[in-house]
Amino acid sequence: MSTPAMWCGQSVERVEDAALLTGRGRFIDDLGVKPGTLHAAILRSPHAHARVKAIRADPARQAPGVAAVLTGEDVTKLCASLVVGVKAPIECWPIATDRVRYVGEPVAVVVAASRYVAEDAVDLIEVDYEALPAVVDPLAALDTAQPVLHEGLRGNLASERSFCYGDPEGTFAHAAHRVSVTIRYPRNSCTPMETYGVVAEYDVGEDAYDVLANFMGPFSLHAVMARALKVPGGRFRLRTPPDSGGSFGVKQGVFPYIVLMGVASRATGRPVKWVEDRLEHLAASVSATNRVTVLDAAVDADGRVRALAWDQVEDVGAHIRAPEPATLYRMHGNLTGAYDIRHVSVRNRVVLTNKAPTGLNRGFGGPQVYYALERLMQRIAIELGLDPVEVIRRNLIPSGAFPYKTATGATLDSGDYAKAFENALADGGFAALREKQKEARAQGRVYGIGLTAAVEPSVSNMGYITTVLTPEERRKAGPKNGAQATATVALDPLGGVSVHVASVPQGQGHRTVLAQIVADALGLKPADIRVITEMDTARDAWSIASGNYSSRFAAATGGAAHLAAGKIKAKLARIAGAQLNVAANEVEFADGKARARGNPDNAVAFSRLAAASHWSPGLVPVENQALRETVFWTPPELTPPSANDEINSSLCHAFIFDFCGVEIDRTTCAVRIDKYVTMHDCGRILHPGMVAGQITGGFAHALGAALYEEYAYGPDGSFLTGTFADYLVPTAMEVPNPVILHLETPSPFTPLGTKGVGEGNCMSTPVCIANAVADALGVAEINLPLSPAKIAAHLHGAERTPRKPQAKPVAGKGRTLHGSGQAQAAAPPQAVWAMLLDPKTLAAIIPGCHGVERLSDTHFRAEVTLGVGPVTGRYKADIVLSDLTAPKAVTLTGVVTGALGNGGGTGRITLAATDDGGTTLAYEYDAEVGGKVAAIGGRLLDGAARIVIRQFFAALARHTGGKKPGYLARLFGRGA
Amino acid sequence: MPRLSAERRHRVRFTLNGSAVEAEAEPRMLLTDFLRHELGMTGTHVGCEHGVCGACTIEINGVPARACLTLAVQADGATIRTVEALAPEPGRLSILQEAFRRHHALQCGFCTAGILMSLDNYLRQRPNPTEENLRVFLGGHLCRCTGYVPILAAAMDAAKRLREVPANA
């Protein structure tokens, strides 16, 4: 009796857009706050690893407008550690306690009348750090001789598990070939345009928290937050704003700040608002994990892969913050990709390093896995002398094998991989691309083709993360599984229909698609359906799987809405049947009416029917009363890990096959995407325009990951990409228009036959581009991002040594600067020498100097204000003079510390008399910079340092030969 | 420009979307904060506060500008347009806004205000842009949702329609 779908499948205009296009969006910072709300700013660590010796916050506490300054000591009194997902004796606080473990880790929270005042007060806090050696590289972190981040652990290895499926050992032993790749997947992030925001209020009378935050789920973290705030779940009310400016997984990471601001509100007795700035976001929100993978394949002579051996070292940063180490286990069921491979061994290790903690990020584990697997497939073709197309073709799971159970335990729900693959090659013009490559190469151009096949999992099993535990540990903890989705459909007294869901969108258009789904079910127009997606844990139906992640909307939430509408419809059909004198199963819903099938004139208006249970419940049997229906739906296929560690990690599995042609410019070494074809089988498509939007959007993220984006850290753990001028995301200039192809094989496991589609290209595209670049360059080992500098090394060999000898960067140190220059002073060397040693003169000529204090003849202390790019800050400088050869040469060694960073350096100044009685000053310096200054402007630093130093010597020269003869005469008199 | 004291708030007056507005601001207050929090015009968004992302783009005296790199006091006496001025009347979208909706050229909508302000200005200056012109021009904006493809399509479509109905520009 289902009405044929009409609205689903159409690219209807989005209901969300009118408000967003006219500036009437309701993002968290657009909503007003209660009068008296305070504003928070966070002091963050400039060090990757240091002991916090002392925090002097009294000047900040006493500043006008400041309500409180909270340090780790204050915060830990009011909350508990966030629970950690592995069995290890480590804690995870939302603020540093005795140690900082990454650049950007919160050290103190200032709560004040305005954000401006709070930021001023942050600058007044002085922290004494004892710097500790940092460990940045995940493999180095495994070495027990390296610095240890958490003393509860003996080293930095937080979790290790090995798995065996089938007979990998025997298969490798008898294999014709063994092919291996080693990859280092970098850290990157999808960086939503809107940053985190939280407004927290504590009610002391009820011991309850009410928090508004642009959190995206999963709401399993609600339990983590409530436990950290030490209240039962019902006393931790979490609400989300109607609009959220993108997330891509990243807004999961706002949750430690929800706890922190909850504590700040409790400490001050006032609501507290915090909005993250971009530097905070880039340095310390969350990123994808970086991972080192060694992947081996046992291969037949014809390229058929028989076994895989995975060895993955996952770098989760300085803390294992929930839900990590989920990134490592999300793909566990589909580690064999789109291929029919029956024997698999896996060794998974999770390490801690002095980098920001990781978390959800679009693709979540997929980019790392497919980078290894699909690089391997290309290497198999090359090492066996086969066509890469043929190697993929021979290994794809055969048509007709679905549902297909993988070696590691996933059930691949549906698909026809072979058909999608062949269609893509034919419709995407693969043969023509090969011809084009041949021609380009004949002309001496650098042109490559890449291929990728991938399975895109969606609707995560909430139990997959427990695969990190041993079967014994899982038995003790109790089984975890499922993926509860929920939707509520309600009828109002005027017969209107509303839908409430816990899907928490960040721009994906959920309201539009839910209106389509429910309109189809009830024979209405989408405009008749009012959809509410802002969420309130105190009022809405929700569960731990609620939220917007693992591409679960279309399959899970959409399906739940369809089921809830179906329940309402079944009741309405019984009411209508009684009124129309037909059986309920003879009632159909169309054109805003319920009518007798085959007799459209025997009809009742939907609105009248829908209002009946409000106005005349006495006329409607209780079991038929249709007011509000809430459906919770969890797929039975999502079972807990088996005793053999088999895990159906996701409900749905879409298929992707991509190929591309890239050309590399020999001079600039830039990679240009000539053609990109992406074939998707994501099951039934509800809104083609939005599916295209998810694919092009994901493709752009992936292109950034492939070519430009990396959260870069110096060897000392300093963070180097703190602005959008350093962390380069693609613009319209870089993103081509991909050719998108579809096959639709509905999922048998979801109510609407839908699957996820939002993350696929983040999994397939980075390696597809890398395969093309590797093909173009003819190289075996290649890692992202494929920057011109990396490609130049392949195309042109190692860079020649510069003619001028440069100081080598010191291992373990931060960003190093080198420079030298000359200046001419009108005064003779002796006079200049005296000036250099005179605090008053120094104060007058050091750029931005507020005063110089002489601690001894050779030890000075200065306060200076320096600006680098957009960041201006006040610093304390300690300068020691050594190797003095009056009046010829002096060495200055300085340490600079400030809220914005720290640095140190050495400079040698030599003075030489000129023929006309003046002095030539020559200087040379080496300096290192860390902290915020290093993060905001690698590219700006060298220039800024050069300018400041040049200004100093120019000022010195002006002082000696400027237009103030009186002063000069005095100077000469003293110097002579 | 008069010398302002850092210690106190100063009266700032300008024309915003055709109406005279005034409020007080410390000299250091950013124009974004002034528009959003002092005047309640929250359509202009803040994405990076260092001038790269373009989300805060508004029109100051007829020229697109980054509101996050402008101090409120600098705007004294200026004529400013923000995204709230684009729709011809409540309940109706401009040709450019309609094209964005038709082409699904926005998802989360956070960067959209700045892109609309830039394009609105550009299409008045250059009614006949090529796709390449628009691609280069849009290079000054970051969008993380759409992959830019539908934004370019919407801009091309809007340019065409604006040429056909110049009165509605």
Side-chain angles (χ1 to χ4, degrees):
Chain A
M1 66 171 258
S2 77
T3 314
M6 292 170 60
W7 296 104
C8 288
Q10 289 188 42
S11 292
V12 299
E13 289 187 349
R14 303 199 321 166
V15 296
E16 290 88 347
D17 289 353
L20 296 173
L21 286 163
T22 51
R24 290 184 293 107
R26 289 176 295 158
F27 298 91
I28 189 164
D29 194 40
D30 300 344
L31 308 173
V33 292
K34 193 170 155 181
T37 299
L38 299 172
H39 298 264
I42 300 173
L43 173 69
R44 292 172 183 274
S45 168
H47 295 281
H49 202 186
R51 215 176 295 285
V52 179
K53 307 274 282 183
I55 303 177
R56 285 181 296 282
D58 283 346
R61 288 196 176 97
Q62 286 147 16
V66 172
V69 178
L70 305 172
T71 63
E73 199 185 334
D74 307 312
V75 172
T76 50
K77 279 181 197 151
L78 295 176
C79 70
S81 164
L82 305 168
V83 291
V84 173
V86 299
K87 299 282 174 211
I90 45 179
E91 292 182 322
C92 179
W93 294 94
I95 190 167
T97 53
D98 56 337
R99 261 213 262 181
V100 290
R101 295 182 175 88
Y102 63 95
V103 171
E105 181 156 23
V107 173
V109 181
V110 175
V111 189
S114 81
R115 176 63 176 254
Y116 284 75
V117 172
E119 289 192 19
D120 286 348
V122 160
D123 288 347
L124 298 176
I125 301 173
E126 287 184 19
V127 184
D128 292 343
Y129 295 101
E130 179 195 332
L132 299 168
V135 58
V136 175
D137 181 84
L139 295 186
L142 286 170
D143 179 352
T144 46
Q146 288 286 318
V148 173
L149 271 75
H150 294 268
E151 268 141 11
L153 295 171
R154 272 193 293 276
N156 294 311
L157 179 65
S159 162
E160 172 162 11
R161 281 219 66 197
S162 290
F163 305 88
C164 180
Y165 305 93
D167 177 21
E169 206 175 306
T171 312
F172 270 101
H174 296 103
H177 300 278
R178 186 183 186 112
V179 180
S180 178
V181 292
T182 300
I183 64 123
R184 283 179 164 268
Y185 202 85
R187 275 191 169 220
N188 50 41
S189 165
C190 289
T191 62
M193 293 314 301
E194 180 199 38
T195 56
Y196 295 165
V198 179
V199 185
E201 182 169 8
Y202 175 72
D203 181 332
V204 67
E206 297 200 37
D207 186 25
Y209 292 89
D210 186 339
V211 178
L212 176 74
N214 52 14
F215 177 65
M216 56 152 260
F219 278 75
S220 50
L221 293 173
H222 181 277
V224 174
M225 291 182 266
R227 281 176 69 168
L229 289 168
K230 300 201 269 197
V231 289
R235 291 182 192 275
F236 171 54
R237 179 180 192 174
L238 180 57
R239 296 176 291 119
T240 65
D243 292 309
S244 178
S247 174
F248 322 109
V250 177
K251 282 185 179 152
Q252 159 262 325
V254 70
F255 87 92
Y257 296 101
I258 292 176
V259 174
L260 202 51
M261 294 308 142
V263 168
S265 171
R266 182 169 179 166
T268 53
R270 303 262 289 273
V272 174
K273 176 176 176 177
W274 171 72
V275 175
E276 186 190 44
D277 73 22
R278 183 55 63 182
L279 170 58
E280 293 181 287
H281 186 85
L282 292 168
S285 57
V286 288
S287 71
T289 59
N290 53 301
R291 188 182 297 177
V292 181
T293 304
V294 180
L295 177 60
D296 286 33
V299 191
D300 288 348
D302 64 353
R304 186 76 177 82
V305 180
R306 296 297 177 188
L308 292 176
W310 288 90
D311 186 342
Q312 308 188 93
V313 178
E314 179 86 326
D315 178 353
V316 296
H319 300 282
I320 303 188
R321 208 154 67 185
E324 295 292 18
T327 311
L328 186 56
Y329 285 89
R330 195 253 182 133
M331 307 294 287
H332 199 83
N334 51 286
L335 281 172
T336 43
Y339 308 119
D340 181 26
I341 302 168
R342 301 310 313 167
H343 308 282
V344 181
S345 71
V346 185
R347 183 187 190 197
N348 277 344
R349 283 174 285 179
V350 178
V351 298
L352 295 153
T353 62
N354 292 109
K355 304 205 281 283
T358 59
L360 270 60
N361 192 64
R362 196 176 199 170
F364 200 52
Q368 295 89 334
V369 160
Y370 287 116
Y371 198 85
L373 184 58
E374 296 302 303
R375 285 291 303 129
L376 179 72
M377 295 305 278
Q378 188 192 51
R379 291 309 304 162
I380 290 171
I382 290 167
E383 292 187 22
L384 273 61
L386 300 168
D387 182 343
V389 175
E390 200 51 45
V391 172
I392 291 176
R393 185 180 279 133
R394 282 176 196 168
N395 284 291
L396 286 176
I397 293 165
S399 306
F402 297 89
Y404 172 92
K405 183 150 188 217
T406 66
T408 49
T411 302
L412 306 184
D413 46 336
S414 67
D416 187 340
Y417 296 1
K419 184 176 172 190
F421 172 77
E422 301 298 344
N423 285 3
L425 292 173
D427 301 345
F430 186 74
L433 192 65
R434 277 261 165 97
E435 281 308 308
K436 193 171 182 184
Q437 179 184 33
K438 209 183 280 176
E439 275 170 39
R441 285 186 167 176
Q443 292 162 8
R445 288 150 58 195
V446 188
Y447 196 104
I449 290 179
L451 304 151
T452 299
V455 165
E456 175 186 359
S458 54
V459 190
S460 282
N461 183 346
M462 297 311 281
Y464 79 73
I465 179 61
T466 62
T467 318
V468 72
L469 304 176
T470 63
E472 182 54 35
E473 287 167 335
R474 287 200 299 266
R475 260 192 301 279
K476 277 187 196 156
K480 307 268 192 308
N481 72 292
Q484 288 283 9
T486 178
T488 298
V489 176
L491 304 175
D492 68 44
L494 290 175
V497 180
S498 64
V499 181
H500 292 72
V501 291
S503 70
V504 199
Q506 298 86 28
Q508 292 86 350
H510 291 184
R511 293 178 59 215
T512 301
V513 178
L514 289 166
Q516 287 176 283
I517 291 169
V518 174
D520 276 348
L522 301 177
L524 300 171
K525 296 190 295 294
D528 298 330
I529 318 290
R530 178 78 177 155
V531 184
I532 311 293
T533 52
E534 54 261 46
M535 162 128 183
D536 179 343
T537 59
R539 307 184 67 103
D540 293 321
W542 63 279
S543 180
I544 59 158
S546 296
N548 195 25
Y549 60 94
S550 79
S551 304
R552 67 195 303 279
F553 169 71
T557 309
H562 172 75
L563 296 175
K567 282 180 88 167
I568 285 274
K569 181 179 166 178
K571 290 187 169 182
L572 290 174
R574 293 203 289 271
I575 303 173
Q579 292 188 15
L580 303 176
N581 269 325
V582 298
N585 62 6
E586 284 302 312
V587 175
E588 63 178 21
F589 291 79
D591 304 328
K593 291 179 183 137
R595 62 195 187 196
R597 197 182 311 281
N599 182 9
D601 292 338
N602 185 18
V604 54
F606 180 89
S607 55
R608 194 178 173 84
L609 196 60
S613 302
H614 285 284
W615 295 104
S616 40
L619 300 179
V620 181
V622 172
E623 67 275 16
N624 291 352
Q625 288 187 2
L627 294 159
R628 183 181 186 100
E629 293 294 335
T630 295
V631 162
F632 278 88
W633 174 79
T634 183
E637 292 80 9
L638 294 183
T639 50
S642 74
N644 302 322
D645 290 316
E646 289 163 320
I647 176 64
N648 189 17
S649 33
S650 304
L651 177 67
C652 305
H653 298 85
F655 175 73
I656 302 172
F657 174 66
D658 288 359
F659 66 84
C660 71
V662 307
E663 180 162 8
I664 297 169
D665 185 304
R666 264 190 204 283
T667 310
T668 64
C669 295
V671 176
R672 182 181 65 84
I673 314 289
D674 184 38
K675 177 169 192 166
Y676 199 99
V677 176
T678 183
M679 159 62 89
H680 288 254
D681 182 351
C682 61
R684 183 172 163 219
I685 292 173
L686 301 176
H687 190 296
M690 287 188 206
V691 168
Q694 287 299 315
I695 293 172
T696 49
F699 172 72
H701 273 143
L703 180 77
L707 300 180
Y708 312 110
E709 298 178 28
E710 179 174 15
Y711 274 174
Y713 286 84
D716 66 341
S718 54
F719 182 65
L720 305 177
T721 43
T723 73
F724 274 142
D726 303 279
Y727 187 78
L728 299 178
V729 309
T731 72
M733 294 286 289
E734 288 81 39
V735 184
N737 196 350
V739 177
I740 301 170
L741 302 171
H742 287 290
L743 185 72
E744 284 190 53
T745 316
S747 172
F749 298 157
T750 62
L752 291 163
T754 43
K755 304 182 180 188
V757 70
E759 300 175 85
N761 284 89
C762 285
M763 304 181 188
S764 61
T765 298
V767 64
C768 189
I769 293 173
N771 279 346
V773 169
D775 180 48
L777 299 173
V779 297
E781 193 172 330
I782 193 158
N783 287 309
L784 304 183
L786 300 164
S787 61
K790 271 187 204 161
I791 287 172
H794 291 297
L795 263 184
H796 304 297
E799 206 167 330
R800 271 172 295 159
T801 345
R803 267 170 299 169
K804 271 193 197 162
Q806 287 189 335
K808 281 195 193 110
V810 188
K813 294 294 171 73
R815 185 185 170 83
T816 51
L817 309 171
H818 314 279
S820 58
Q822 270 196 356
Q824 298 299 330
Q830 195 59 251
V832 175
W833 181 260
M835 287 169 69
L836 277 173
L837 302 188
D838 173 34
K840 274 191 199 136
T841 314
L842 286 174
I845 62 175
I846 292 173
C849 188
H850 303 288
V852 175
E853 195 187 343
R854 183 185 202 147
L855 302 177
S856 77
D857 279 355
T858 55
H859 189 179
F860 299 85
R861 185 166 286 165
E863 285 219 20
V864 289
T865 295
L866 291 173
V868 179
V871 180
T872 299
R874 200 165 167 135
Y875 302 85
K876 286 200 168 95
D878 247 300
I879 300 157
V880 175
L881 307 181
S882 58
D883 297 334
L884 288 89
T885 318
K888 287 183 181 155
V890 59
T891 296
L892 286 81
T893 306
V895 178
V896 181
T897 50
L900 296 176
N902 52 84
T906 301
R908 179 82 176 159
I909 302 173
T910 50
L911 311 181
T914 57
D915 296 343
D916 56 0
T919 306
T920 297
L921 293 113
Y923 57 91
E924 210 168 321
Y925 61 88
D926 285 299
E928 290 141 13
V929 185
K932 195 187 272 191
V933 172
I936 56 96
R939 67 182 61 214
L940 301 171
L941 270 179
D942 304 72
R946 218 168 286 134
I947 286 167
V948 168
I949 289 162
R950 205 186 300 139
Q951 281 173 349
F952 171 80
F953 284 100
L956 181 65
R958 256 201 319 279
H959 238 72
T960 63
K963 294 160 193 159
K964 292 180 181 169
Y967 179 82
L968 259 186
R970 212 167 62 232
L971 188 79
F972 275 116
R974 194 175 60 187
Chain B
M1 199 174 189
R3 199 170 170 83
L4 303 174
S5 161
E7 308 305 321
R8 62 178 197 86
R9 288 159 71 88
H10 298 266
R11 189 140 292 271
V12 179
R13 299 181 178 86
F14 53 77
T15 304
L16 177 61
N17 301 331
S19 304
V21 293
E22 65 173 86
E24 289 195 336
E26 286 179 42
R28 63 172 174 172
M29 178 173 265
L30 299 177
L31 183 52
T32 42
D33 289 339
F34 188 73
L35 285 169
R36 293 176 50 77
H37 302 311
E38 300 297 316
L39 301 177
M41 300 293 276
T42 54
T44 301
H45 293 152
V46 179
C48 72
E49 279 188 311
H50 51 259
V52 179
C53 81
C56 68
T57 304
I58 60 171
E59 203 180 80
I60 304 178
N61 295 330
V63 180
R66 302 286 207 237
C68 80
L69 298 186
T70 309
L71 297 169
V73 291
Q74 287 177 277
D76 193 44
T79 298
I80 291 179
R81 285 177 80 230
T82 64
V83 67
E84 285 94 342
L86 292 182
E89 60 187 76
R92 233 180 96 204
L93 298 181
S94 73
I95 286 175
L96 178 64
Q97 289 167 320
E98 269 181 1
F100 266 60
R101 181 162 70 178
R102 203 165 38 249
H103 290 272
H104 301 289
L106 68 158
Q107 287 180 27
C108 79
F110 197 80
C111 69
T112 310
I115 294 179
L116 289 173
M117 291 312 293
S118 280
L119 279 174
D120 175 73
N121 186 281
Y122 185 76
L123 294 179
R124 272 183 279 129
Q125 316 290 328
R126 308 246 338 224
N128 257 306
T130 63
E131 191 180 308
E132 193 51 26
N133 292 151
L134 284 169
R135 202 177 267 285
V136 171
F137 180 73
L138 285 170
H141 287 272
L142 300 182
C143 167
R144 288 299 251 171
C145 291
T146 63
Y148 306 104
V149 171
I151 296 178
L152 270 170
M156 287 297 283
D157 188 11
K160 182 167 163 280
R161 286 171 195 249
L162 284 165
R163 286 195 298 274
E164 287 162 2
V165 204
N168 275 5

